Amino acid sequence: MIDEVRSITALGKVANYIPALADGRKTDLAVSVCTIDGQYFQAGTVEKSFTLQSISKVLALAFVLDIKGEEEVFSKVGMEPSGDPYYSISKLEFTNPTKPFNPMINAGALAITSLLPGHSMKKKLENFIDYVSCLTGNRKIEYNEKVAKSEFTTSFLNRSLLYYMKQFGVIEGNVEDIIDLYTKQCAVEIDCLQLARIGAIFSLNGQDPEKRNQLITKRTAKICKAFMVTCGMYNASGEFAIKVGVPAKSGVSGGILAVVPNRFGIGIFGPALDQRGNSIGGWKLLEKMADQFDINIF
């Protein structure tokens, strides 16, 4: 399947608005699958690691929901798809109360990041990395300092979103501190296999596919999957639901986390992006997998 879709990567573009991501190789394409009984399958350039970017939004949401609860989380962000690009500020201006539509757009993700548990920004980051390490089963998870610094120095629009939300009491704290934390959260590095394992956890409604202990509460896992279906592929989420039909979350590094409930998790890496910020090869690969393995949940 990878051989069949690799040529389409030539039509995509590697993200360059974050300078450190511009080094990605367009032809890279990889997929890993982790089944709910802990079996792994993979193909392509699986040796490549990549930063989570917007995939981290789902993990931060799960972490904060389990620690702080739905009432606090949804006092800061809404539950509705926006239909706008992930970086949009317009909906903040026309809603009352002024809060982001959902946690998958940048404004909502920034609000969630500000809620990460910890008595300092350093501790918040450590706690998040520990959480990702637990989900991946790898205690060597770190963030990519070069990518984080590159994002931090170019995050002018995200700063604007934070200042706007601070004006209306959606977020508290220092904007620069939150941006620093958010860019490091997005720069956490994993590989396809680790991403597929996270997908399998969501597939099992929060259970570890190997040990069967509960890593995410069942309720939180269901909430996150609902957001992935409705908002996870940016403003192409509706089209993706029709063409592929599984909960998924993409990131501009080229990663896609996909969940096939009660069957398996999928981790994809393909840095060539379409116009809406999704891996162009990864999307096509998931379409083929949907046909071949009948994964559409609808």
Side-chain angles (χ1 to χ4, degrees), residues 277-292:
N278 298 306
S279 171
I280 192 169
W283 179 306
K284 198 66 179 176
L285 189 59
L286 283 166
E287 282 190 37
K288 283 191 168 290
M289 293 178 73
D291 290 338
Q292 179 73 23

Side-chain angles (χ1 to χ4, degrees), residues 36-219:
I36 59 172
D37 59 356
Q39 296 184 71
Y40 294 95
F41 306 89
Q42 54 184 350
T45 51
V46 292
E47 72 281 358
K48 295 285 183 77
S49 60
F50 51 94
T51 54
L52 284 170
Q53 298 302 326
S54 284
I55 297 171
S56 71
K57 296 172 181 178
V58 179
L59 308 186
L61 175 63
F63 190 24
V64 170
L65 276 170
D66 275 351
I67 295 293
K68 300 200 171 180
E70 292 179 49
E71 184 176 352
E72 182 168 354
V73 168
F74 294 121
S75 71
K76 302 295 186 183
V77 298
M79 305 180 190
E80 297 297 330
S82 69
D84 291 337
Y86 59 89
Y87 49 79
S88 175
I89 196 172
S90 63
K91 287 290 196 299
L92 290 175
E93 297 181 272
F94 298 108
T95 55
N96 187 16
T98 299
K99 66 180 183 181
F101 263 46
N102 63 72
M104 298 298 108
I105 56 176
N106 280 14
L110 288 161
I112 295 297
T113 294
S114 72
L115 295 175
L116 284 171
H119 56 79
S120 66
M121 291 298 166
K122 180 181 179 182
K123 190 61 181 175
K124 286 174 183 282
L125 179 63
E126 288 175 359
N127 288 341
F128 179 73
I129 291 176
D130 284 347
Y131 183 71
V132 177
S133 298
C134 177
L135 297 180
T136 60
N138 186 330
R139 288 294 169 184
K140 296 182 179 179
I141 297 292
E142 293 289 347
Y143 74 92
N144 184 310
E145 291 188 21
K146 178 183 177 182
V147 173
K149 185 177 180 181
S150 182
E151 289 193 55
F152 180 82
T153 56
T154 55
S155 289
F156 305 116
L157 184 51
N158 281 342
R159 285 177 170 87
S160 300
L161 293 169
L162 279 168
Y163 277 115
Y164 195 94
M165 290 189 290
K166 186 168 182 176
Q167 173 69 31
F168 292 95
V170 177
I171 64 113
E172 299 174 0
N174 182 278
V175 166
E176 290 301 298
D177 287 344
I178 297 172
I179 283 288
D180 184 56
L181 176 60
Y182 181 71
T183 53
K184 288 173 180 175
Q185 167 194 307
C186 289
V188 169
E189 268 190 326
I190 62 170
D191 59 31
C192 279
L193 203 62
Q194 292 159 352
L195 192 57
R197 189 179 191 277
I198 294 173
I201 292 168
F202 280 109
S203 176
L204 284 167
N205 280 326
Q207 283 189 351
D208 187 305
E210 294 156 7
K211 299 178 181 177
R212 292 299 169 133
N213 54 314
Q214 202 78 28
L215 299 178
I216 302 170
T217 64
K218 188 174 182 180
R219 171 68 177 167

Side-chain angles (χ1 to χ4, degrees), residues 201-246:
I201 292 168
F202 280 109
S203 176
L204 284 167
N205 280 326
Q207 283 189 351
D208 187 305
E210 294 156 7
K211 299 178 181 177
R212 292 299 169 133
N213 54 314
Q214 202 78 28
L215 299 178
I216 302 170
T217 64
K218 188 174 182 180
R219 171 68 177 167
T220 289
K222 288 187 174 184
I223 291 171
C224 290
K225 284 186 287 185
F227 276 123
M228 284 195 270
V229 168
T230 56
C231 320
M233 299 296 284
Y234 304 128
N235 52 322
S237 298
E239 181 183 346
F240 185 83
I242 291 169
K243 291 185 174 180
V244 180
V246 297

